């Protein structure tokens, strides 16, 4: 089992990255034998999507995307950690989803939204509404919202609120792993035809 984690903030050393690293450690503890690939969009931003993704010619975008694509293709599940910027998912994360195609197809995704205050719900709605269309990711029903994130997951959980958040994270991770196992059968079934039906409707 391999899980990919995307820290979707464009800021280096962001709260999203802190949460992503926390989840990386929890995956290792809860799911023995599971490897993790962590993609940090804050320190290694990807080039913006352009038409070269649809051509057979080499391009700087394809060159930058190739190693990321290889890691994602090997993954059985993905966790997307997103901050809420003005009620939206950051541009770097939207760009990442535009670049993805078959890498995420029929793989379960867990949305983890972080907020500096009491927000965090809008990115969840945005990703569920449009974040799956052409990459065919399957968002699982559970998601996590971490509010007042600067006070959360900085060490061993202490307050009741922090313990609740940590428990919710563990619960969602366990479910994600089981979806990862189950959806492998769909991917191996041979029923998908993403050469003919590459784009969602």
């Amino acid at each position: 089992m391999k899980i990919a984690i995307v820290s979707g903030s464009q800021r280096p050393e962001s709260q999203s990255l802190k949460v992503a690293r926390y989840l990386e450690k929890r995956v290792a503890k809860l799911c023995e034998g599971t490897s993790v690939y962590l993609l940090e969009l804050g320190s290694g931003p990807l080039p913006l999507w352009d038409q070269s993704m649809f051509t057979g010619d080499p391009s700087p975008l394809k060159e930058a995307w190739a190693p990321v694509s290889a890691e994602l293709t090997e993954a059985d599940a993905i966790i997307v950690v997103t901050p809420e910027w003005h009620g939206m998912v950051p541009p770097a994360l939207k760009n990442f989803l535009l670049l993805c195609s078959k890498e995420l197809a029929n793989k379960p995704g867990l949305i983890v939204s972080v907020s500096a205050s009491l927000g965090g719900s809008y990115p969840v709605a945005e990703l569920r509404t449009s974040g799956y269309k052409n990459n065919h990711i399957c968002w699982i029903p559970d998601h996590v919202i971490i509010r007042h994130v600067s006070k959360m997951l900085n060490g061993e959980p202490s307050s009741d609120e922090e313990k609740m958040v940590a428990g919710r994270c563990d619960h969602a991770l366990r479910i994600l792993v089981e979806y990862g196992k189950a959806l492998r059968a769909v991917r191996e079934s041979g029923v998908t035809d993403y050469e003919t039906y590459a784009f969602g409707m």
Side-chain angles (χ1 to χ4, degrees):
M1 171 74 64
K2 180 174 181 176
I3 293 180
I5 303 176
V6 178
S7 174
S9 176
Q10 292 167 221
R11 295 187 178 113
E13 295 303 317
S14 63
Q15 291 294 317
S16 297
L17 179 59
K18 177 190 77 174
V19 170
R21 287 176 174 156
Y22 171 84
L23 294 171
E24 181 180 23
K25 291 177 183 175
R26 295 307 296 165
V27 166
K29 186 171 181 64
L30 294 170
C31 315
E32 189 174 342
T34 298
S35 62
V36 176
Y37 165 63
L38 176 58
L39 175 62
E40 182 193 347
L41 298 180
S43 65
L46 294 164
L48 290 177
W49 182 94
D50 64 42
Q51 197 65 26
S52 69
M53 291 297 283
F54 289 154
T55 70
D57 301 321
S59 70
L61 173 58
K62 285 184 178 178
E63 184 178 346
W65 179 244
V68 177
S69 175
E71 294 280 2
L72 295 173
T73 298
E74 292 178 353
D76 297 287
I78 184 169
I79 301 167
V80 172
V81 183
T82 176
E84 182 177 72
W85 287 8
H86 299 278
M88 296 182 289
V89 169
L93 182 52
K94 295 291 280 189
N95 183 58
F96 165 79
L97 292 171
L98 282 171
L99 293 169
C100 292
S101 56
K102 291 181 285 188
E103 295 93 347
L104 305 183
N106 294 300
K107 296 179 181 179
L110 170 64
I111 300 169
V112 179
S113 178
V114 305
S115 172
S117 56
L118 291 173
S121 60
Y122 287 115
V124 176
E126 182 178 353
L127 289 173
R128 290 195 185 281
T129 300
S130 62
Y132 68 93
K133 180 182 174 289
N134 290 344
N135 56 53
H136 305 282
I137 193 171
C138 299
W139 300 118
I140 67 172
D142 290 81
H143 60 260
V144 179
I145 299 176
I146 304 174
R147 297 182 170 101
H148 299 295
V149 66
S150 64
K151 300 176 182 178
M152 297 289 165
L153 309 178
N154 296 310
E156 191 66 28
S158 55
S159 68
D160 289 343
E161 183 181 5
E162 193 174 16
K163 289 176 182 176
M164 184 275 293
V165 168
R168 176 70 72 171
C169 287
D170 284 359
H171 179 255
L173 289 174
R174 289 190 181 101
I175 292 174
L176 180 71
V177 166
E178 294 306 312
Y179 269 99
K181 296 174 185 176
L183 287 179
R184 191 178 296 152
V186 175
R187 297 194 300 276
E188 294 174 352
S189 69
V191 300
T192 58
D193 179 5
Y194 292 133
E195 298 303 320
T196 306
Y197 305 106
F199 307 112
M201 293 182 70

